[in-house]
Amino acid sequence: MRTRVTDMFGIEFPIFAFSHCRDVVAAVSRAGGMGVLGALNFTPEELELELKWIDEHVGGRPYGVDVVMPASYEGSDLGVDSPTELVARLQGMIPAAHRQFVEDLLAGHGVPPLEGGEPTKVLLGWTDATARPQVEVALRHPIALLANALGPPPADVVELAHSHGVKVAALASTPRHAVKQVEVGVDVVVAQGTEAGGHTGDISTMVLIPQVVDAVDVPVLAAGGIGDGRQMAAGMALGADGVWTGSIWLTVEEADTPEMARRRILTATSRDTVRSRSWTGKPARLLKNEWTDAWESEESPGTLPMPLQFMLVSEALRRIGRSDAGELATFPAGQIIGTMNQVKPAKQVVFDMVEGYVEAMERLGRITDDGHD
Amino acid sequence: MRTRVTDMFGIEFPIFAFSHCRDVVAAVSRAGGMGVLGALNFTPEELELELKWIDEHVGGRPYGVDVVMPASYEGSDLGVDSPTELVARLQGMIPAAHRQFVEDLLAGHGVPPLEGGEPTKVLLGWTDATARPQVEVALRHPIALLANALGPPPADVVELAHSHGVKVAALASTPRHAVKQVEVGVDVVVAQGTEAGGHTGDISTMVLIPQVVDAVDVPVLAAGGIGDGRQMAAGMALGADGVWTGSIWLTVEEADTPEMARRRILTATSRDTVRSRSWTGKPARLLKNEWTDAWESEESPGTLPMPLQFMLVSEALRRIGRSDAGELATFPAGQIIGTMNQVKPAKQVVFDMVEGYVEAMERLGRITDDGHD
């Protein structure tokens, strides 16, 4: 296959795979697509180890790194560069009533405290201060792409990436966002529909992609609801140069997804997700369960702005993950989880998608050839 | 073009156009697609006149009629067949606080009462009792398709249609709905994504269509977010045999859309719609404005179940339509309104869609031919 993004990155298939798992990233790149590692959860030191591993296992194929530099978040105006100081200042902004709500929710489900000595990362890469060190680590590796979620990346970060010969992508949920991103130098726009997992807007992929394609001159990747070759073909029919996928990699063989979450995804329907602010303070599509319901209930104190909400809930989510309270264990997941019901190697997912794409093209060809489906 | 639905109906293009306006229905059918008249707003006598007009203006081409027979609604267990008695019984079920909320909302926006002698239709075709007479009228005309929204049509209605040589379609927002519909004999499933206007589920078109296509053997039409040839191509790539469109006909030359609404649609973005129960009691995508916001506000008494909510608000919506309170004038509209910004004849919309489809196919062909976009 040949589009502007296969040319740009020297890849065989215009399939981008977002994953927090290095094994998945390397496997997709080796299969002819492009793996993109979500750096959010990693300290700079951890990220260094992950990327070193990928370098050793990706067989010289291109891969990318995804960071989160939100255009706006609480504390961005404090002028604090030190993550430690920033955390301290932000902790003071979390109301006691919110902490109590979380404690009560966990107590109601019998979730025990963490064992001693287990520090929780409360800020992750949700801020400029914590994401920049990740960018610096990433650019020391032979990455082909730096992707940014939640708004246009800072112009100096785009410049820095370009000076390393690294292309920059950014996620957009409206055509206006896409235009702003291209203005700061972004090379590829990931236009992401509301059905996508994680942070997402409210316009659907079907409606959004043509609007973004018409609004910008750079290549566009279709994201949100892309899981098989038919959906890939649909994304390309809408005008995209490739597809950006996420949720479908949660259940591949290589994924380090916790077993409880994997089982839940394999049995879920497409109605089992919800856009909720209960994870980070910004709307993100999550698995719908008693956690997301609780934050919508009458007892809910409401969610806090980013990054306070994640700081508030990060330890709780970890405690839930270690407990038997599966009914509270939520995580980012797109509507495509409704069609994910078997575990396959990542390579097989790539090949199945390409094969499905070719089949869809053949079927479409027969429609206009006056042949019969 | 040739698919199972072009064969089934003897039409040139698999483009179905839902509209409450007879002029649009006839124009689309004459252009080679298939117009489908929404009967909801019409009394049986009015529907008779509309269909007679279409018969005289459709040039012998096939067209359809769409009715609403919800699988469940308040009062369906009362065993009341007389629409007049049903209305009386249902009126008594509307709480005074709800009536007061509506009056206060209108007073706050300076909406005057209706001039005397203007009766408001409060029930429309929202119930079995009111929709059946519409079906009887429709089947006296040479219609090719009877479509039903809000669940599988009653099995005897499907049989009746079939005995008249009329095919039956039904709207589905989940694969489970689609299977149930085929079980009662539906010939065509309209799989409608959340981005669609009017009553709609929560799964996006991109995710829903392949699931429905895999779940049933009958032809599937893709609905929700379909406005141009790229979106039509995407719908077909997802496995559909054709597309079902609605919102895009609100602004064509032939449409009898009130001028205020037409102007609002031409300037709206795709973020200006919302799924709301404030119209009928079931979730429907509407233009988002002060009306839909009011029903989500803290003062809102909450919405009533179908058909009580529409009975509660029908006169109010009519008063708003006659007033200058454009900020309260809502109506069903899909996210596609964000790309509707010019007025064209219906025929031109059909031809542009077909041309765009062919262009999308050519572009897709170059991708796999190793040519260049």
Side-chain angles (χ1 to χ4, degrees), chain A residues 57-177:
Chain A
H57 292 82
V58 78
R61 308 296 282 263
Y63 73 95
V65 170
D66 179 282
V67 296
V68 181
M69 298 181 132
S72 64
Y73 57 93
E74 206 64 27
S76 59
D77 54 350
L78 294 177
V80 179
D81 287 334
S82 147
T84 317
E85 194 190 332
L86 185 59
V87 166
R89 295 276 290 272
L90 292 171
Q91 291 283 17
M93 297 165 71
I94 299 178
H98 281 75
R99 296 198 187 276
Q100 194 59 50
F101 174 74
V102 172
E103 279 309 316
D104 290 350
L105 179 60
L106 267 58
H109 288 264
V111 176
L114 290 180
E115 313 261 316
E118 216 177 342
T120 299
K121 302 172 188 172
V122 293
L123 199 53
L124 301 185
W126 292 126
T127 65
D128 204 75
T130 48
R132 279 181 185 266
Q134 294 176 335
V135 171
E136 285 164 24
V137 169
L139 291 177
R140 287 201 294 269
H141 291 263
I143 64 171
L145 176 71
L146 182 70
N148 186 56
L150 296 177
D156 67 301
V157 170
V158 177
E159 247 178 72
L160 186 66
H162 285 168
S163 74
H164 283 74
V166 173
K167 299 289 184 188
V168 178
L171 271 70
S173 57
T174 70
R176 198 172 56 86
H177 288 166

Side-chain angles (χ1 to χ4, degrees), chain A residues 169-232:
Chain A
L171 271 70
S173 57
T174 70
R176 198 172 56 86
H177 288 166
V179 169
K180 280 192 177 181
Q181 290 165 351
V182 172
E183 280 170 5
V184 300
V186 159
D187 305 287
V188 176
V189 171
V190 181
Q192 180 175 272
T194 188
E195 52 268 72
H199 291 106
T200 183
D202 44 21
I203 308 177
S204 81
T205 301
M206 183 67 86
V207 173
L208 178 66
I209 307 300
Q211 291 187 34
V212 172
V213 166
D214 291 344
V216 300
D217 287 330
V218 304
V220 172
L221 303 180
I226 313 285
D228 73 11
R230 292 173 290 189
Q231 287 152 335
M232 180 179 176

Side-chain angles (χ1 to χ4, degrees), chain A residues 29-49:
Chain A
S29 285
R30 282 200 313 271
M34 173 115 120
V36 181
L37 185 75
L40 180 71
N41 298 335
F42 301 118
T43 64
E45 298 71 30
E46 289 167 345
L47 183 60
E48 172 62 34
L49 292 176

Side-chain angles (χ1 to χ4, degrees), chain B residues 129-300:
Chain B
T130 48
R132 278 180 186 266
Q134 295 176 334
V135 171
E136 284 164 24
V137 169
L139 291 176
R140 288 202 294 269
H141 291 263
I143 64 170
L145 177 70
L146 182 70
N148 186 56
L150 296 177
D156 68 302
V157 171
V158 176
E159 249 178 69
L160 186 66
H162 285 168
S163 74
H164 282 74
V166 172
K167 298 289 184 187
V168 178
L171 271 71
S173 56
T174 69
R176 197 173 56 86
H177 289 166
V179 169
K180 280 191 177 181
Q181 290 165 351
V182 172
E183 279 170 4
V184 299
V186 160
D187 305 288
V188 176
V189 171
V190 182
Q192 179 174 273
T194 187
E195 51 268 72
H199 292 108
T200 183
D202 45 20
I203 308 177
S204 81
T205 301
M206 182 67 85
V207 173
L208 178 67
I209 307 300
Q211 290 186 35
V212 172
V213 166
D214 290 344
V216 299
D217 287 330
V218 304
V220 173
L221 303 181
I226 312 285
D228 73 10
R230 292 173 290 188
Q231 286 152 337
M232 180 180 176
M236 314 284 277
L238 294 172
D241 284 278
V243 293
W244 175 276
T245 55
S247 303
I248 56 168
W249 309 106
L250 290 169
T251 52
V252 294
E253 266 178 30
E254 293 89 342
D256 56 1
T257 308
E259 203 43 42
M260 191 162 67
R262 191 192 293 259
R263 276 201 307 272
R264 188 70 194 87
I265 297 168
L266 292 172
T267 55
T269 77
S270 290
R271 300 202 62 199
D272 292 330
T273 72
V274 65
R275 265 179 95 222
S276 165
R277 293 180 185 265
S278 64
W279 178 42
T280 70
K282 290 194 193 263
R285 188 172 295 282
L286 309 177
L287 183 77
K288 179 173 166 25
N289 63 5
E290 296 191 31
W291 172 271
T292 55
D293 289 350
W295 287 95
E296 296 296 322
S297 71
E298 293 199 355
E299 292 75 36
S300 168

Side-chain angles (χ1 to χ4, degrees), chain B residues 322-346:
Chain B
R322 302 279 161 95
S323 77
D324 297 325
E327 72 276 13
L328 284 180
T330 190
F331 43 83
Q335 291 189 340
I336 197 70
I337 61 170
T339 53
M340 293 159 55
N341 46 31
Q342 46 175 319
V343 176
K344 296 190 282 193

